[in-house]
Amino acid sequence: MSIKPGRNIRNRFHNIWMLICILLIVLMPVILAFGLYFKASLLLSDNSVFSLLFSKDWQPSKQNFGFYSFILSSLWITILSLAICAPVCLLSAIYLTQYARSNVLKLMHPVIDILAGIPSVIYGVWGIIVIVPLIANHIAPLFDVETSGYTIIAGAIVLAIMIIPFVLNILIEVFNTIPEQLTEASLSLGASKWETIKFVLFRKAFPGIISAFGLGLSRAFGETIAVLMVVGNVVKVPKGIFQPGYPLPALIANNYGEMMSIPMYDSALMMAALILFVVVLLFNFASRFAITRFELRI
Amino acid sequence: MNNHTKININNVNLSIGKQHILKNINVEIPEKKITVILGPSGCGKTTLLKCLNRLTDSYEDINVSGNIFINNKDILKSNGDITELRKKMGLLSQRPYPLPMSIYDNVAYGLKISGRKKKRFLNKRVEHYLKQASLWEETYDRLKEPASSLSIGQQQRLCLARGLAVDPEIILADEPTSALDPLSSQAIEEKFIHLKQYYTIVLVTHILRQAKRIADNIVFMYLGEVIEQGPAESFFNNPKMEKTKAYLSGAFN
């Protein structure tokens, strides 16, 4: 008999290790959420969730912690950046997968990967050097606005460029997985290429497009360094795209470990992190929901 | 060229990159008959079929020479509206690829694209073509459901219906039963025999028995060349070429 003793035990043991690894991954978000909630509970015991979320009053020294202006800044920047990035990514992905020769796509892949790999600090610096003055000197005057350039729109542009490679990669993948025969079927029914893209490919790709944008949105919402470098960081409810903002991640990054002598401040920052966490979670659920709803219809 | 020739393929050569795929193809396809393009896998049958409605246009590095006359018009040379050409032909592919929309919209798609959007007209046409593809009985109460909810055999009949809906003159079928169970295959074959009184049918297959069952006319291809062509009866009973005899006796597949 050549079978080694203990073979079965070893076999089962390997399985257990794999299971532990998966458990770790699954538990991670749960642990994170609980940790944040635990830390923020101090603040939550003194204030209602509603007043924390919708109060504009941010005066830590007076124990006033209203997150409204931060939440709104974050939403403004994120949604604006997605609005910039979405059409660019969609049109590029359609061009690369439907019109361009296949070696153009091969050439683009490393370019996209390089863009994705650039550290966010570099995007931030580039934003300060290029985008901020561009807005202050050229774009804002077009709308009769005077600004330093450190604005919501600057943050949104930098952010859009940062998530483009990320979203574009997913979209290319989505369009590439559509079988060619579906295109041929539509063409053979007398549809033009553009009609085929509009009525068939776009519908087929729709769930994938939504999930790409959903992931992009989550990523944009949490992006910190590059945004805080160009967005101005003024605690005020933004009233337009040419005003400065102060998104949630910037609040945490700027202040954690700084003014910890102020009571509750630590807890307030954890609350900010918790809000961030929950909103990203909501984005994910919303896009999942949209996808499953749509997939039932096609 | 006699009156009854619908498609006349003349000296067609096709290469993709350095690969010479179709070599000096000369084929005549008679009107309102079933012409079967027969041959082992990879012999260029499908490529020849795609030439007919110029789906080959979207291939990279492709080079086509020669002439293909349909209704005495050279479709390879025409720079006119290619969608008009394609509308003349219904395409049935190896597996059904229903469009990502409802059963109703799948059939109405071709009509809507060509600008026929009146609801009552569409309702009538959809019903007519679903009946023609023997699918109406199974679907009349679920037309709004997604086409992907149909079984694969039903999907293939839906693809036939949607192809017929653009009122083609020719039906191109690329191994249309290869993904289907025997019963569904039989349904499609019977449909073809019924439809040949209205349409010219070009069917690609590598199934000898299927060719025997439904072909009026055979084009036998091997490694990118047409070896033999002619009426089905003489082809099967009295093959002229050595390669044909070998193929019919099952020497290669």
Side-chain angles (χ1 to χ4, degrees), chain A residues 101-102 184 186 188 203 298, chain B residues 60-61 86 100 109 146 148:
Chain A
R101 296 176 64 88
S102 60
E184 289 182 351
S186 170
S188 71
R203 277 182 79 94
I298 57 169
Chain B
E60 279 177 24
D61 297 320
R86 286 182 180 144
Y109 179 76
S148 53

Side-chain angles (χ1 to χ4, degrees), chain B residues 7-23:
Chain B
I7 306 172
N8 193 356
I9 302 171
N10 215 336
N11 258 329
V12 165
N13 277 283
L14 181 147
S15 51
I16 297 177
K18 281 180 187 136
Q19 247 184 313
H20 199 170
I21 292 177
L22 296 178
K23 298 164 193 160

Side-chain angles (χ1 to χ4, degrees), chain A residues 174-175 178 200-212 290-291 294 297-298:
Chain A
V174 166
F175 278 101
I178 298 176
V200 177
L201 299 188
F202 197 74
R203 277 182 79 94
K204 186 80 178 171
F206 190 76
I209 293 170
I210 293 297
S211 79
I291 291 165
F294 187 82
R297 293 203 289 116
I298 57 169

Side-chain angles (χ1 to χ4, degrees), chain B residues 120-185:
Chain B
R120 277 180 56 197
F121 171 80
L122 287 178
N123 286 344
K124 262 200 208 148
R125 294 279 86 182
V126 169
E127 181 178 343
H128 174 78
Y129 289 113
L130 281 175
K131 276 180 177 160
Q132 218 173 21
S134 318
L135 197 61
W136 178 253
E137 294 296 312
E138 295 149 73
T139 56
Y140 68 93
D141 55 348
R142 46 188 285 207
L143 292 174
K144 292 288 165 217
E145 281 180 36
S148 53
S149 67
L150 295 171
S151 79
I152 197 154
Q154 289 171 326
Q155 285 182 18
Q156 192 63 301
R157 274 178 284 153
L158 180 70
C159 291
L160 181 62
R162 108 188 141 187
L164 295 179
V166 294
D167 203 16
E169 297 165 16
I170 302 164
I171 297 174
L172 306 175
D174 184 7
E175 301 184 18
T177 60
S178 64
L180 304 185
D181 61 273
L183 271 179
S184 305
S185 303

Side-chain angles (χ1 to χ4, degrees), chain B residues 200-237:
Chain B
T200 303
I201 298 174
V202 185
L203 174 88
V204 161
T205 187
H206 62 259
I207 309 167
L208 249 174
R209 272 176 300 168
Q210 185 173 54
K212 274 185 187 159
R213 280 195 296 268
I214 63 174
D216 297 312
N217 198 37
I218 299 266
V219 176
F220 175 55
M221 288 181 72
Y222 184 64
L223 296 179
E225 283 176 285
V226 173
I227 306 295
E228 186 169 345
Q229 59 176 315
E233 236 187 73
S234 62
F235 178 84
F236 286 118
N237 298 330

